[in-house]
Amino acid sequence: MEDRPHKAHRSSTKDKGKGKEKQHGFNEKAFAPKSGRRADRQGRRNVERDQTRLHVPLVNRTPDSEPPPVIVAIVGPPGVGKTTLLKSLVRRYTKQTLNEAKGPVTVVSGKKRRLTFIECNNDLNSMIDIGKIADLVLLMIDGSFGFEMETFEFLNVLQSHGFPKVIGILTHLDLIKKAATLKDTKKALKKRFWTEIYQGAKLFYLSGVLNGRYPDTEIMNLSRFVGVMKFRPLVFRNAHPYLLADRIEDLTPREQVRLSKGKCDRTVTVYGFVRGTNLRMGTKVHIPGVGDLDMKSVTILGDPCPLPDADSEKRRKLSEKKKLLIHAPMSDVGGVMYDKDAVWINVPGSFTRGNTDVPQGEGEQMVMDMQDARATLEDGVAQSHIRLLGSSSKHLTVEALDEDESDDGFDDESGEEEGDESGLDSDEDGGEDDEDIVVNPQSTGRSSRRHVERTLPTASTSKGGRADVEYADSDSDLGDEDDEDVLGKRFQMEDGDALDIPSDAEDDLMDDEEEGEEESAPKWKANLAAKAQAASNSKRRKDWTKLIYSTDLTPEEVLSGKEEHPVEAEEMDGDEEDFFRLEPASRREEEEEVDSSKEKWRGEDLKRWEDDEILDSIRGLFITGPAVQEGGEEDDEDTGGDFEDLEAGESSAAPLPSEAESKATSLAAKKEELKRKFDEQYDDPEASKVDFYTEKKEEMSRQLQFNLEAFQDIPAEQRALVEGYRPGTYVRIELVDVPCEMIENFDPTYPIIVGGLLATEERFGYVQVRIKRHRWYVRTLKNNDPLIFSLGWRRFQTVPIYSLDDHSIRMRMLKYTPEHMHCYATFYGPVSLPNTGFCAFNSLSADTPGFRVSATGVVLDIDRSVKIVKKIKLTGIPYKIFKNTAFVRDMFSTALEVAKFEGANIRTVSGIRGQVKKALSKPDGAFRATFEDKVLKSDIIFLRAWYSIQPRKFYNPVTSLLLSDKSQWTGMRLTGQVRRDESIKTPLNVNSTYKRIERPERRFNPLIIPKKLQAQLPYASKPRAMKPQKQQTYMQKRAVVMEPEERKAVALLQQIRALRKDQVAKRKEKKNEKKAEHRKKVEKEEEKKSDKVKERKKEVMRATGKKSKRDAEAEEGRGSKRRKTSS
Amino acid sequence: MSNLVQFSGHQHLRLRLALSILSGKPVRIDKIRSEDKNPGLRDFEISLLRLLEKVTNGTVIEISVTGTAVLLKPGIIAGGPVTHDCPLSRSIGYFLEPVVLLAPFAKKPFQLTLRGITTDEHDLSVDLFRTVTLPHLQLFGISDGLELRIKKRGAPPGGGGEVQFLCPVVKQVKTLNFVDPGKIKRIRGVAHAVRVNPQFSNRMIEAARSVLNRYIPDIYLYSDVYKGDESGKSPGYALSLLAESTTSALHCAEAVSQPGVAPEDIALQASRALLSAIETGGCVDRQHQTLVLLMMALGSEDVGRCRMGEPTPRTIQFLRDVRTFFGTSFKIAAADDKESSHLLYSCYGTGYTNSNRTLA
């Protein structure tokens, strides 16, 4: 940059113009707080902001050095442009155009990053599975239409399974013509998107399609965002191994398939990058949509889409235009497509051999290489120089397994080609250069027919045989015979330079073994003898790992060396696993006492401690003792010299001067350390202290570094046994007993995910979850109705029982889920770790109206029994009543039942409490009960009890991948659904119907107090019984006679009133008339107005009709119908 | 039951049962003393199975008619308050050892009361459990509320002792990285005597000091005398010693009273055994190898390391069993320095999390 003169010039003018010469860096004054209070506030705010930035430190199990490709899922409703986006992105990264994009497509996007693109179809099952594995979701939204229900469903699924990063992409924006509408739409959609994801979530706009792709600049911008995206580990994925199968292959013998008419269980291999944690043998895997499967073997394959290393970087510079790396076995790339049982090679147009000017795809190259065979296979094998293909780097050999095969076949491969196909230099441009780059994948995982022989055969572990961990770092491997049994003869491609591997100890050993096999093993035997000698000479040089894990020796034999020692040497802890010999009784008696953990010290062992010299010999192990020159132990300088002499004499390992020297250096180191400590404390005692967060982070990174280094020195296959297959390796997993439907109904557009299960997750039990009905799901969830859970890797249907905690005393069953509240649900099914999130559905089919996510929640507890109760009320009636005692019948049917409830609390409806006492003999089931008060005969007596219920043991995995029409999975139907389908009437219990309750009116007799009693009552309490008066009062019966003036006055008043009345009536009449007139007028106006409105409506309808007709015509090309969202 | 694990023989029964319950894989053990005069399971083994049934929920144990075969389908580890009477044929240590492996992974904190013999010559005494085994669990982050209370002591053959074992519940055990054995900095011990002259314990302490005092001044031996009802039904005495290093590695030894042997001789036996244990060295003594190795295998998915001496036959079989149940194998290599015969055991933890634990 600085070389260019014009740049320098510009920068100088800029500096001058702005006048910023003086400002260097941060101007403190400009941001200094004006007051103390403000400074305080600012400080607090900064601290708070720092705290919000912190997250709980999580260990990331994915290695930084060779991470697996990032899974970028493209999700959206149909017709939104997913395939177009996938093609555009692939084009952007690889300069290749995919004809059909099916299954995962892996590309290299940068020096440290690879991407696996996968398109998600509109099936809810696929969306759930993709949501569980995607690292980044490109959520596509039709800008001209808006959000659709699937989008929200998908977001809810994501939320319950750990939220990966989501980038929204608005498409079809070119369909909105008006600029203002476009702006409004963008704004509205963005607002909705932000409320769903988070404020400020990234939303991209793709304007239109050019040449079947989105505009290059927009795609480039998008790819830049994808390229720099950082990912936080998600808890579930950080605890489980998994892989997204990018290829699947059926290995079942054809004959077996034919004999069983294709119905036999299959042996299937799946290929993919290990992700999450280390994948270990011995665990089960779950393929969502298929079920739990056993891994028979796992094989490490070469990376089909390797990250650029220094070498390939150089090559790329040589020819910029060549095809970049892409790995998409299910799609048609380079003319080769891998199906479940075949490899398809497409040849464009007419195909002629030797036509080198046309660039050849990988497939064509393979066919031509096949044709290049000059001799028969048999001849070739006889010569042991046959190559299956011309470009194969290794020839087939008949010999033992090569244990140290590595896939460094990149260079030799091109070398081979040069040798075989004359005149193809690496300088040559065009197709051959392409070949060079693509060769690597070809040589490794991508070729299906060859990989079986060509992969690292020993880097696989199989479950069938005893998985052997063999550490060949010492020569004294006593388990050699064992190895020889394993090493069968088989065809194998031998690497060109496999023989001149650097001869360090282990490789020597490997070579030894190989040669030994070839030369019918005389050398091998000699070696063994020597080894045995070595082993007996120095006990320390035993290869413990090998002895323990890969031999059948009993523990005593392991300890005492190979040869059978008399048993007296060690304690009798024999483990005759497979055979018990009849032994002398004395020995058996001794054997009886073996299962003891206490160390038994023999008399002679302890006797030697009587000797002073022996006693002194361990003085060095105490802090008061002399310094011992051993690693990892600190020296103490305060002891006498005589012990040191003794030590030196005993060990005689190092000459004295060097010892002194080392002492000096150690002393110097110590001093240095002390000085550093002092400096640290003197300078700033606080500086050495780090806060909790950084401390934890450092601890984690240290442990990760340590994990990385711990097993680096042991060979790959042994490493795989100890720590499993690390994330980022490309593996082939052989699965056995796979249902044949998975292969027969294989569809590459449905993702195949292989999720590793933890040991506990293979088991079944009762799972208690905290659940909440989704607020967009319109119906309540009913107890004992089947529900489809997506929990862990699995999708399954089960029958939950809802409950609520009743005052922490009991779990009480609920009939329905509460409205806006969490409740508990308990169901039988595969166990998941507590704190795993899930979502639930009532139906997964696409034709379900409305929102399909019916509930979400989290696992709380797993158990083998449940304690959910429901209330039950037993009722009875008293048939004989004494003072506080009553005889109750109709509550129980036998005396035994009564006996069980003796002492139970009972109650009458009116609230009188009592207790069950004892069964009565006469009416069966009747009992004596006592109450706190006398009960009435009309009282109903009830006993409140709790009846415990068990969830039904129903577990039905959603086997959607096994169906030919994968979206049509149906599980158990609801009872109502079954009745509807079978048109069965709901059985009606007569007692459950609502009827009009006829209650006879209660008549209460008047209270009669005896006269005698009345007399005794105090006056206030005496009943006051007064009879109504029968005679007319004086006021009622007198006659009124008026004076003449009075009469006149009254008559006048009457007349005035009459006049007034008449006046009012007239006025009213007039008013009514006027009102009627006015109404008429108004009516007329209304009529006029409505006419106008009608006219306008007509106009509008005409316009809309035209528009809808246009739309329908346009829709016809676009596809299926959509459901309108409720946003 | 596709994941059934099969074994033969009565050896290593305890550890195999514990591994089965931890891993959740059903186990079938046959040919239990099938060639013996007295075939089948012994009373203490039956009692152990009972105990395991008590501390778990949903465990199914089937014993064949002859008693020579056992099938255990493990449930979940429940924990909580449990009381168990141990038979007098084995001491409490026999029962505590498998329980200690299970206890951290229970649903509820363990409150296990065991009654029986507290100290005998076959198994670790409850003193060593308290002072040595529990600190080993603390290495893995199992510390708060971890306790063994010796309520009563019971010597063989009468027994009558009682201990209470309290163990907290953890989510996951920590990864161990313990490679520096350090140097012995102090020696502690408990001498106890029940239903004998209390002077016996003092005599044992004197005798032990006569051997150990030459090494280190920091020796403290407690004299622990239980009286009356707390002292069990039979007379007996024992000395248990432990040596702690600067990196808190523990080595222990113990000697139990024998008829016709003076307490001084018992003490000498114990202290010499301790010296032997110290000489063997390593970060973990031979009796606790299995415990430490199991916890390492159950750790988080990181590499754990521990430096120990040679494996005992028990340990060797245990390592094989761990691989059968958990699919994890250890890398065992010689320790870096030339002098010692120590081995460095390293393994990649299985990431075992306590799935039994209740959330909220």
Side-chain angles (χ1 to χ4, degrees), chain A residues 1021-1055:
Chain A
S1021 308
K1022 267 185 184 153
R1024 278 169 283 281
M1026 267 199 176
K1027 276 174 193 144
Q1029 198 162 10
K1030 278 170 189 164
Q1031 295 161 341
Q1032 275 191 324
T1033 56
Y1034 165 74
M1035 290 292 280
Q1036 283 167 339
K1037 59 187 180 187
R1038 72 191 169 138
V1040 180
V1041 182
M1042 275 189 276
E1043 295 292 312
E1045 304 92 74
E1046 253 181 342
R1047 203 179 296 156
K1048 263 188 202 161
V1050 169
L1052 185 69
L1053 275 174
Q1054 248 175 3
Q1055 283 164 358

Side-chain angles (χ1 to χ4, degrees), chain A residues 599 608 615 624 707 861, chain B residues 107 215 279 286 302 323 349:
Chain A
E599 195 76 1
R608 66 194 178 97
L615 282 173
T624 50
N707 292 351
D861 189 20
Chain B
K107 186 179 285 298
Y215 293 111
E279 192 191 27
R286 289 164 65 88
D302 291 312
R323 190 183 56 171

Side-chain angles (χ1 to χ4, degrees), chain A residues 134-145:
Chain A
D135 297 307
L136 168 67
V137 173
L138 302 181
L139 192 62
M140 303 196 66
I141 300 146
D142 186 342
S144 67
F145 184 83

Side-chain angles (χ1 to χ4, degrees), chain A residues 288-497:
Chain A
V290 178
D292 288 8
L293 299 168
D294 275 317
M295 288 192 288
K296 194 178 167 205
S297 69
V298 179
T299 317
I300 299 178
L301 301 182
D303 204 326
C305 190
L307 282 170
D309 50 1
D311 194 34
S312 65
E313 275 297 274
K314 232 180 281 164
R315 277 158 186 260
R316 188 176 287 176
K317 266 170 202 151
L318 284 176
S319 63
E320 199 70 44
K321 271 181 259 168
K322 77 179 114 189
K323 270 189 278 182
L324 298 168
L325 225 45
I326 175 169
H327 175 63
M330 288 183 193
S331 309
D332 181 14
V333 178
V336 187
M337 189 164 70
Y338 297 89
D339 206 348
K340 63 201 171 189
D341 51 2
V343 180
W344 304 93
I345 297 173
N346 292 336
V347 178
S350 60
F351 175 72
T352 49
R353 244 176 84 73
N355 184 7
T356 44
D357 49 291
V358 177
Q360 290 155 341
E362 187 191 353
E364 290 160 62
Q365 195 64 48
M366 271 168 69
V367 172
M368 277 167 40
D369 289 350
M370 288 275 218
Q371 291 169 343
D372 268 342
R374 279 169 200 117
T376 58
L377 182 71
E378 200 180 352
D379 291 346
V381 171
Q383 289 168 14
S384 86
H385 278 298
I386 188 174
R387 295 187 182 83
L388 206 54
L389 301 180
S391 62
S392 304
S393 60
K394 296 174 265 182
H395 52 73
L396 286 168
T397 52
V398 189
E399 68 160 38
L401 290 178
D402 187 354
E403 295 213 341
D404 194 55
E405 221 175 277
S406 59
D407 62 326
D408 52 353
F410 204 96
D411 284 8
D412 357 306
E413 194 143 355
S414 57
E416 293 280 345
E417 262 172 44
E418 278 167 40
D420 268 13
E421 297 152 22
S422 52
L424 294 181
D425 286 348
S426 57
D427 292 345
E428 223 174 335
D429 54 351
E432 287 315 315
D433 257 82
D434 292 354
E435 189 55 34
D436 266 0
I437 272 289
V438 192
V439 145
N440 199 12
Q442 183 189 352
S443 74
T444 50
R446 278 179 73 181
S447 58
S448 92
R449 286 302 170 225
R450 289 174 296 146
H451 73 272
V452 183
E453 297 88 336
R454 296 206 46 196
T455 50
L456 303 173
T458 49
S460 71
T461 48
S462 64
K463 218 178 177 185
R466 254 226 143 97
D468 296 352
V469 185
E470 291 160 28
Y471 294 87
D473 44 7
S474 103
D475 285 351
S476 64
D477 29 353
L478 296 157
D480 259 356
E481 303 90 336
D482 209 42
D483 289 351
E484 302 302 330
D485 294 339
V486 174
L487 302 174
K489 289 193 173 185
R490 59 184 275 190
F491 288 102
Q492 190 199 352
M493 300 261 193
E494 197 188 322
D495 206 315
D497 54 359

